[in-house]
Amino acid sequence: MQETAWCPALFLSAMASGQGKTTVTAALARYHRRQGRRVVVFKTGPDYLDPQILALASGSPVEPLDLWMAGDAFCREQLYRAALEADLILIEGAMGLHDGTPSSADLAVALDIPVACVINARGMAQTVAAIGLGLARYRPEMTFHGLVANALGSERHRQLIEDSLPDDVQLLAAMPREEHLALPSRHLGLVQPGEQDDPDNLSLEARLDAAADLLEGQKLTELPPAVAFRPQHIDTPSQALAGYRIGVAEDAAFSFIYAANTRLLEAMGAELCRFSPIHDTTLPDHLDALWLPGGYPELHAAALGTNHGMCEAIRGFDARGLPILAECGGMLYLQQTLTDQHGTCHPMAGVLPGHGEMRTKRGCQGMQSAPLPEGEIRGHAHHHSRSHDTLAPIAHGRRASHPAPGEAIFRRGRLTASYLHLFFPSNPEAVAALLGGEKTTRAPAQAVRGRHAR
């Protein structure tokens, strides 16, 4: 294996959240893809929604990069593997360039990748240059590639900004104010690609192409400098899950799944059997464990609560003492009821005591690790709901940068539930112990299968 792979790479960040960096990153990925280049995109920090948009734009899967959650070696190895096959690597940051610990700037400096910063210029002109100058100078060790001015009202608006910039801070692109190209969002972030197409509006594909058209002829489309990426020689995971069949809930209600998690389970020997709690009436045959990830159960609560066959199958699986991991939306599904964002209370699977309620204000988010009996696994929380009348927790998440207790972690028998989303590669052996163990009581074969079973 070669020791160094060179590939053009650019880190796209912003002065704050809501500046349009996902739109710009997606537009740039789509532009280069249309030129016939292989584009690989990464997303900084924990995120399930932006990567779906970026994957559609680039035509390649999008992985998370986070120095705390995934670790330095994991991030470097993912980039090295991408550099072996890509013509361009793009990384979208999170929040503002210097926000958080570690921040997007920390990652860019660690990896020596040049940074382009997006600024929504609505309501200002020369001030954009002042902000851009500060972003360029704040971390002298960071390579600042230039600015992208977004939401411009006119050509004169662009000219005022460009004329105010010092010679060594270039304006890479000026994006006009095009409200119809904005990516729709809701309480947890962007709307998922499969839910966005509206016959009365532009499809997501059309929005991406139109945004890419706006970049035509601008400096941002020029390939950035090539960056050196080196392999990390990460240890091959053990075969601790060899022969195990793990059921993975995956449909419109449960889609918050990191590809790194599924890759790890398969690398450890597990066979993943995907099923839909919305459509399927029972579980796949001969499962040894269940994983119910997060998602949007509140948007599909009526269908989930009235699928009595699936609810009964999961209750039966739990009664056999087999391992179940339920994360965030998966935990809400296992509780007794879920009150949706409109105030309607729906029955859920009733595997665990507890009642979930959506909240319109005040969410919970942030990096946390789960101190489980099997070992500590890093992850994060991101939800706009609360649960009450639950089991007593066995532990609470440990926040990455705050001493206050994090999310409650519930354990009953082999069932583990929490609002935490776990990043499996942070502790493969603990994950194997959580979902594995002695295979003594497999779920029997089921005779009835839903029409959407996979």
Side-chain angles (χ1 to χ4, degrees):
M1 178 183 292
Q2 68 185 84
E3 288 301 310
T4 302
W6 291 85
C7 183
L10 185 63
F11 200 119
L12 289 120
S13 189
M15 76 170 197
S17 296
Q19 303 298 294
K21 62 180 176 291
T22 300
T23 300
V24 172
T25 306
L28 187 58
R30 176 56 64 96
Y31 174 88
H32 284 287
R33 180 186 176 189
R34 294 193 319 197
Q35 307 306 307
R37 298 186 178 101
R38 172 71 188 275
V39 184
V40 178
V41 186
F42 294 89
K43 178 68 173 73
T44 302
D47 197 329
Y48 297 101
L49 299 171
D50 290 7
Q52 295 182 37
I53 305 294
L54 298 172
L56 185 65
S58 65
S60 298
V62 174
E63 303 279 358
L65 294 178
D66 186 89
L67 291 174
W68 184 85
M69 185 176 74
D72 181 87
F74 178 90
C75 294
R76 292 180 184 276
E77 179 67 12
Q78 295 305 303
L79 287 164
Y80 170 75
R81 292 181 180 275
L84 290 174
E85 59 185 31
D87 300 306
L88 173 65
I89 292 174
L90 300 176
I91 303 173
E92 184 196 337
M95 302 184 293
L97 176 58
H98 299 286
D99 296 328
T101 305
S103 65
S104 293
D106 291 331
L107 184 60
V109 169
L111 301 171
D112 196 24
I113 296 176
V115 174
C117 220
V118 180
I119 298 178
N120 186 315
R122 183 190 291 267
M124 57 180 169
Q126 289 90 342
T127 302
V128 172
I131 295 171
L133 182 62
L135 291 169
R137 301 285 195 270
Y138 188 74
R139 291 280 296 267
E141 70 274 31
M142 183 184 73
T143 302
F144 195 80
H145 195 58
L147 294 178
V148 176
N150 194 23
L152 299 186
S154 65
E155 173 60 23
R156 175 60 176 161
H157 194 180
R158 182 200 67 79
Q159 194 66 52
L160 288 171
I161 294 171
E162 190 164 34
D163 289 348
S164 302
L165 288 170
D167 292 340
D168 59 343
V169 178
Q170 61 178 338
L171 184 63
L172 297 170
M175 301 289 283
R177 193 178 304 154
E178 300 281 0
E179 305 291 353
H180 66 288
L181 297 184
L183 300 174
S185 62
R186 56 188 171 209
H187 52 284
L188 291 182
L190 295 177
V191 177
Q192 299 177 99
E195 303 172 290
Q196 289 197 12
D197 289 356
D198 184 333
D200 297 324
N201 295 297
L202 282 178
S203 70
L204 179 55
E205 291 279 6
R207 293 184 198 201
L208 293 172
D209 282 329
D213 290 341
L214 295 175
L215 292 177
E216 188 70 46
Q218 303 206 55
K219 293 179 183 178
L220 186 63
T221 61
E222 298 173 7
L223 285 176
V227 175
F229 298 100
R230 296 176 178 84
Q232 297 302 298
H233 307 296
I234 296 174
D235 291 340
T236 301
S238 71
Q239 291 292 294
L241 294 175
Y244 281 75
R245 286 170 54 86
I246 298 176
V248 181
E250 185 173 359
D251 57 19
F254 304 100
S255 59
F256 292 2
I257 300 172
Y258 288 127
N261 283 5
T262 57
R263 280 202 310 271
L264 176 67
L265 295 178
E266 291 175 332
M268 299 183 83
E271 178 186 355
L272 303 186
C273 307
R274 290 169 172 82
F275 67 97
S276 168
I278 294 177
H279 302 292
D280 297 340
T281 57
T282 192
L283 295 168
D285 297 340
H286 303 304
L287 295 180
D288 300 297
L290 278 183
W291 175 25
L292 302 168
Y296 283 109
E298 66 273 17
L299 300 181
H300 306 275
L304 291 169
T306 55
N307 188 349
H308 303 297
M310 179 57 70
C311 292
E312 182 179 353
I314 294 177
R315 288 194 296 268
F317 192 92
D318 175 62
R320 297 183 185 95
L322 295 166
I324 300 176
L325 172 62
E327 300 176 320
C328 198
M331 180 185 73
L332 294 176
Y333 173 54
L334 292 190
Q335 292 180 159
Q336 293 164 281
T337 64
L338 175 57
T339 300
D340 65 22
Q341 62 273 32
H342 305 295
T344 303
C345 183
H346 302 271
M348 290 288 104
V351 178
L352 282 174
H355 303 273
E357 297 177 354
M358 300 304 300
R359 298 189 292 185
T360 57
K361 297 180 180 179
R362 296 180 57 194
C364 179
Q365 59 184 349
M367 311 301 286
Q368 299 180 32
S369 59
L372 298 170
E374 294 80 8
E376 190 157 308
I377 306 173
R378 293 190 170 189
H380 60 93
H382 184 46
H383 59 91
H384 283 200
S385 66
R386 63 182 292 270
S387 292
H388 59 88
D389 296 326
T390 61
L391 292 171
I394 63 164
H396 287 83
R398 292 179 178 147
R399 299 180 189 272
S401 57
H402 196 281
E407 300 291 349
I409 300 171
F410 306 104
R411 172 70 61 88
R412 191 191 65 191
R414 296 299 307 279
L415 191 160
T416 303
S418 176
Y419 270 118
L420 291 175
H421 303 269
L422 304 180
F423 190 69
F424 294 174
S426 68
N427 193 338
E429 297 307 319
V431 171
L434 184 65
L435 293 174
E438 294 298 324
K439 297 195 294 181
T440 56
T441 322
R442 280 189 173 209
Q446 304 285 343
V448 180
R449 187 64 64 91
R451 63 187 178 90
H452 289 81
R454 288 165 285 170

